Amino acid sequence: MQHKRIKSISLFALSFLLFSFSSRWGGDSFQIYLNKKLVVKEFVHLANGTKSVQMNRASYDDQVDIYYSHCGQVGKSRTITIKDENNKLLKQLHFSDYEGSNSGMSFKVSDFLSWDKRNGVDQLNIYYSSKELTTERLLATFILPTDSKAKP
């Protein structure tokens, strides 16, 4: 009888100990590349705020590739939404469904916004949405500084 009681208490203690640790396996993650160079890599459950990416005239025409993973799977009905700092919609890009892993979503900022005719747009907020997400997720902010020209 005593042996059964010790066994039960030990089993309870072991169960309690194992469940006291939180496991953060899985979850959503994303990477953002500029001309195949990784500039942002984020695991959504560890997110520490929105990352900023500085752009300049030279990087403005670079290829932007975004890879978003829902627990290792590519989302369905994927959309990248780009808004300015006042939350005004600048561009919405829709991407077809993909039956593999890590299908990138690619675009160039220069395809929809001219550097010289930005009309005061100095920041682009990049959002991702898909069938698997209930709301848009802010991935990163692209900072587009104005050209500073020194005057004599």
Side-chain angles (χ1 to χ4, degrees):
M1 183 78 151
Q2 184 73 14
H3 183 64
K4 281 186 173 183
R5 181 175 283 178
I6 292 174
K7 206 175 190 181
S8 295
I9 292 172
S10 296
L11 183 61
F12 175 76
L14 181 62
S15 297
F16 182 76
L17 180 67
L18 289 176
F19 287 111
S20 67
F21 296 101
S22 68
S23 65
R24 295 210 177 240
W25 294 351
D28 291 4
S29 65
F30 63 91
Q31 299 89 37
I32 301 175
Y33 293 82
L34 272 178
N35 268 1
K36 303 196 185 303
K37 179 183 173 194
L38 181 65
V39 292
V40 175
K41 183 175 184 176
E42 193 76 45
F43 294 94
V44 175
H45 67 275
L46 297 175
N48 293 326
T50 305
K51 303 292 186 208
S52 295
V53 177
Q54 292 288 332
M55 297 190 81
N56 56 38
R57 188 180 282 273
S59 64
Y60 195 66
D61 198 37
D62 286 355
Q63 176 87 16
V64 177
D65 296 303
I66 299 174
Y67 295 88
Y68 197 100
S69 170
H70 299 276
C71 296
Q73 301 296 315
V74 176
K76 304 288 184 199
S77 303
R78 301 171 299 156
T79 301
I80 295 292
T81 303
I82 303 167
K83 299 178 181 179
D84 69 8
E85 60 267 21
N86 298 315
N87 218 28
K88 178 184 171 196
L89 177 67
L90 298 175
K91 186 73 172 178
Q92 196 163 49
L93 307 163
H94 301 279
F95 296 90
S96 60
D97 293 346
Y98 183 78
E99 294 302 324
S101 62
N102 284 334
S103 171
M105 298 168 283
S106 301
F107 62 93
K108 291 182 179 183
V109 173
S110 62
D111 286 345
F112 62 88
L113 189 64
S114 167
W115 182 268
D116 295 322
K117 298 178 183 175
R118 292 183 289 160
N119 296 327
V121 174
D122 296 324
Q123 177 177 312
L124 302 176
N125 295 317
I126 312 298
Y127 293 89
Y128 170 80
S129 61
S130 69
K131 181 181 171 186
E132 290 76 12
L133 288 175
T134 55
T135 60
E136 289 181 326
R137 177 163 288 144
L138 179 62
L139 302 181
T141 298
F142 288 2
I143 306 298
L144 309 171
T146 55
D147 287 333
S148 57
K149 297 179 182 175
K151 296 185 179 183

